[in-house]
Amino acid sequence: MWFLLILNFAGKVAAWLLGAAEPAAAAFLWLTPDALIAYHLFVPHAQGLMRNARRFSTPRREVWLTIDDGPDPQDTPRLLELLARYDARATFFVIGENAQARPGLIQAIVNAGHEVAHHTHTHPVGSFWCASPARLARELDTGLAVLRASGVAPTRFRPPVGIKNLWLASALKRRGLVCVGWSARGLERRRGDADDVVGRVLRGVKAGDILLLHEGPRVPAAIRIVAIERTLKKLRELGFTCIVPTAGQLIDP
Ligand SMILES: [Zn+2]
């Protein structure tokens, strides 16, 4: 991160020194470092500001199913039934506010043998990237407090839609949280039906992939649950098992 910030500062100084004498070069030096920082903030797979795991190592035909944005009173109980039926384990990246409203669902997820992980307290998609260190700390700590009240001590975090923040790496490190990205996602709100979602999340699926799907009201009604059920069915047909990898299995990109 510091390399990007120093580069940005150096670019601004150089642009200011060149000024009107070389306007095109000055504009390039002024804007290019900004574009680089924007890339690493907003592109989910970019690793320049911080590491976020996109795969895990396994000698077996295994994938990691991650389900974001719950818990949801309608979807989570049905998902737990589905996962049990397919003998699958998953990680639920939950929103603190949702967990606070339904602590029983957090317990149900844990009791069913799945992992609960941190996905911010309020899921601020539009403003997470520019949140101040104090606001970022509130997002992390309020969510942590809610989960701890349910007996859960999460070790993994995923930012909303994979957008990062300049202060996120150090904030996660201080709290013992590891940032987890994904190999493929269903993009449930894009055009198409449940089969399109399954096609997207399982395109070229291979052992060690991290798959991202969602629960809750942000998912279109016709896709809710159905896409996850069909994904589990297809994974079984392809001979994959859904597991939750250990910390040692995560691949540092
Ligand atoms: Zn989310």
Side-chain angles (χ1 to χ4, degrees):
M1 179 183 95
W2 289 110
F3 173 74
L4 284 171
L5 293 179
I6 291 166
L7 184 70
N8 192 289
F9 180 72
K12 297 287 184 284
V13 171
W16 184 77
L17 290 173
L18 280 174
E22 296 283 351
F28 177 81
L29 288 169
W30 189 274
L31 296 173
T32 304
D34 289 341
L36 259 179
I37 288 185
Y39 172 83
H40 287 285
L41 274 176
F42 294 108
V43 174
H45 292 338
Q47 305 286 335
L49 291 172
M50 58 185 303
R51 296 305 196 194
N52 65 109
R54 295 178 54 197
R55 298 182 43 73
F56 66 97
S57 64
T58 175
R60 291 174 285 278
R61 213 162 157 76
E62 294 171 334
V63 293
W64 182 11
L65 176 62
T66 63
I67 302 169
D68 286 12
D69 293 358
D72 177 80
Q74 184 180 326
D75 291 3
T76 307
R78 294 175 64 195
L79 284 174
L80 294 178
E81 284 174 25
L82 267 181
L83 292 167
R85 196 188 315 155
Y86 283 90
D87 201 17
R89 289 190 70 217
T91 295
F92 289 76
F93 282 87
V94 301
I95 297 170
E97 283 182 337
N98 293 349
Q100 196 166 27
R102 310 274 173 179
L105 289 177
I106 298 298
Q107 278 302 321
I109 293 170
V110 172
N111 292 344
H114 306 292
E115 180 186 33
V116 171
H118 197 330
H119 193 42
T120 71
H121 187 63
T122 66
H123 205 264
V125 174
S127 59
F128 189 75
W129 69 275
C130 61
S132 66
R135 178 157 178 239
L136 179 62
R138 277 200 303 279
E139 280 292 339
L140 295 176
D141 291 338
T142 314
L144 279 174
V146 167
L147 294 179
R148 283 179 183 146
S150 296
V152 174
T155 58
R156 288 157 175 173
F157 174 84
R158 177 177 283 153
V161 297
I163 292 174
K164 299 169 205 75
N165 175 296
L166 287 177
W167 328 111
L168 184 59
S170 54
L172 292 183
K173 196 173 177 187
R174 277 198 297 278
R175 292 162 178 84
L177 292 166
V178 171
C179 191
V180 175
W182 57 82
S183 314
R185 54 180 167 169
L187 295 167
E188 291 93 331
R189 292 167 72 171
R190 269 203 192 159
R191 188 191 296 218
D193 57 16
D195 287 331
D196 294 308
V197 172
V198 178
R200 283 193 285 268
V201 79
L202 294 185
R203 184 176 300 132
V205 63
K206 54 194 176 302
D209 276 354
I210 303 173
L211 310 178
L212 165 57
L213 290 166
H214 293 83
E215 61 175 316
R218 291 194 185 95
V219 180
I223 290 173
R224 253 174 118 164
I225 302 286
V226 180
I228 294 179
E229 179 165 21
R230 289 183 191 173
T231 298
L232 288 167
K233 185 167 181 284
K234 187 73 181 172
L235 282 170
R236 176 178 275 184
E237 286 169 11
L238 294 170
F240 284 101
T241 307
C242 293
I243 63 127
V244 174
T246 63
Q249 284 179 276
L250 296 190
I251 295 173
D252 192 15

